[in-house]
Amino acid sequence: MAPKKIIIDTDPGIDDILAILLALSAKEEEVEVLLISLTFGNIEVRSCLRNVVSMFHIIEREMQWRRQRGLPEGFGALRALRPVVAVGAEDPLDAQKMLGDYFHGADGLGGIHETHPHFTPSETWKHLFDPSANPQHIETVQTGDERPSFLPSTRPAHQEILRLLRENDPDTVTLVAVGPLTNLALAAAEDPEAFLRVKEVVVMGGAVDEPGNVTPTSEFNSYADAIAAARVFALTSPSPASTVPPSRGKLPSYPPKLSKQLTLRLFALDITLRHNITRGLFRETVAPLIESGSPLAEWVSAFMAHTFRTLEAMHPGHTGDQARLSLHDPVCVWYALTAEDKGWTASGGSPEDIRIETTGQWTRGMCVVDRRNRHRIEDDVESPRDHGLWLSSRAGNRIWRMQGSPAEDTFGQVLMERIFSIARV
């Protein structure tokens, strides 16, 4: 079986970094990470870029450390294929920008670039992403004695997404989106048919039956760019015009007829909050590795220490070894790696007509679901009985809301074993 092909659209971010590490540490026969596309979100997009470059720098040091000790290098997916890294959206489509630095720290990794500067590479890499550079992918750049383990792109991230979807067969690339959906919305607006070549889009975002985490009703990613989320969701509809928000001149409308509907798997807070790692489990995993000199264990431990302190301050009961971090983004990558596992289940009503509120004073980013027990209407003509076409079988979104996973109780251990177990000594 050929490895799965994935694109990760992300705003690293603590759990984003864990998610990327999970993908890159897979076996080469499991997955090909084609692209890591960056967006604003948890922090400014340029800080996201620094975090990703730092991650590759640490992985390179980790693999060297393992080789020197006769240990398997791991990171088979990364050694088999260097992913492209591209910088994307700096701002939401049409809203005041909100960042998640209140949780992730000003640099996205708990201040690690100041507290542990020896883990941050020199900034000579910045020119690699300069749009005035040529060619688009710089294959010959060197860091130290070896080439870097990623391909820098000077194209905007949404154009790299479209390029890869065009260059690969339809329905072969999964797009895992774990930040605001701005890059996806830009790609879909520029070339909807090329975007619809994607196999499926896996989205970490929204809250349906759970409270939100930035407002009483809204999850961070859907709040950070609600219009982008609504536009991407609209592509799941047999009639995208029925749910797409007003563009206000920012982006063009979709064509009235598209060749297919987008398949979108939604990992809302309802499922991601059930996948956690405790401080105790994390400490037990990394302590012997740090003692043995693992660069990766020391680096991850530094920003996770900040994370658990923040959790203690924000949530009563999250103290000591019982403090737990919800693994929102890694769950989405785990699905992309193991989608054929029958333990993954969607809600009983899936696909559901879930829409993103874009204009409400208090409800921006809210997942709106019709909970009325009403008869369906077999047309797409709005009427007083069905304002908004909620009952129409020919309109509304079609979202697969994920509900169950094969590793809910053990996912923290799975994550640790995937990233670190090959370095155990």
Side-chain angles (χ1 to χ4, degrees), residues 263-306:
T263 299
L264 190 150
R265 306 271 176 183
L266 182 65
F267 283 75
L269 294 180
D270 306 63
I271 182 172
T272 62
L273 285 171
R274 303 199 306 268
H275 294 74
N276 302 284
I277 185 169
T278 64
R279 176 190 267 143
L281 173 58
F282 179 79
R283 180 178 49 78
E284 291 170 6
T285 302
V286 301
L289 299 175
I290 293 174
E291 185 177 349
S292 300
S294 162
L296 180 62
E298 185 180 350
W299 185 66
V300 175
S301 181
F303 65 71
M304 288 290 280
H306 161 86

Side-chain angles (χ1 to χ4, degrees), residues 35 78 137 141 157 266 286 297 309 337 357 362 391:
L35 168 67
L78 176 59
H137 300 305
V141 62
L266 182 65
V286 301
R309 287 194 301 269
L337 296 177
E357 174 58 52
W362 309 116
L391 301 176

